[in-house]
């Protein structure tokens, strides 16, 4: 039995499964997760690199 998931939920699940990687130094850790904040119609994924403090931000809009 399958549970219906909206396109957004699928996208979010895909995002949650992917590990963030630092664009500056390449740091990546499978134990590192995106910090997710939701504001109105958009969801922001943010990752702060623990080694060089570079900030990676991805934004998704809820259509
Ligand atoms: Zn880094």
């Amino acid at each position: 039995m399958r549970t219906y998931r909206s396109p957004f939920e699928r996208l979010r699940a895909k995002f949650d499964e992917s590990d963030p990687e630092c664009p500056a130094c390449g740091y990546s850790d499978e134990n590192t997760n995106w910090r997710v904040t939701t504001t109105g119609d958009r969801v922001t994924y943010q990752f702060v690199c623990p080694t060089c403090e570079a900030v990676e931000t991805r934004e998704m809009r809820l259509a």
Side-chain angles (χ1 to χ4, degrees), residues 6-16 45 60-61:
S6 73
F8 169 69
E9 285 173 323
R10 284 204 302 270
L11 190 63
R12 179 167 177 166
K14 189 177 157 190
F15 228 100
D16 288 347
Y45 284 82
M60 284 198 305
R61 291 181 69 94

Side-chain angles (χ1 to χ4, degrees), residues 19-21 27-33 47:
D19 301 320
E21 185 179 301
Y27 176 90
S28 180
D29 187 327
E30 61 182 31
N31 294 318
T32 307
N33 292 310
F47 164 64

Side-chain angles (χ1 to χ4, degrees), residues 2-57:
R2 292 175 67 89
T3 308
Y4 173 77
R5 295 208 294 174
S6 73
F8 169 69
E9 285 173 323
R10 284 204 302 270
L11 190 63
R12 179 167 177 166
K14 189 177 157 190
F15 228 100
D16 288 347
E17 284 168 10
S18 71
D19 301 320
E21 185 179 301
C22 176
C25 74
Y27 176 90
S28 180
D29 187 327
E30 61 182 31
N31 294 318
T32 307
N33 292 310
W34 296 93
R35 206 181 76 191
V36 186
T37 50
T38 310
T39 50
D41 64 346
R42 66 186 64 190
V43 180
T44 304
Y45 284 82
Q46 196 172 61
F47 164 64
V48 180
C49 179
T51 62
C52 76
E53 298 185 343
V55 180
E56 169 83 326
T57 305

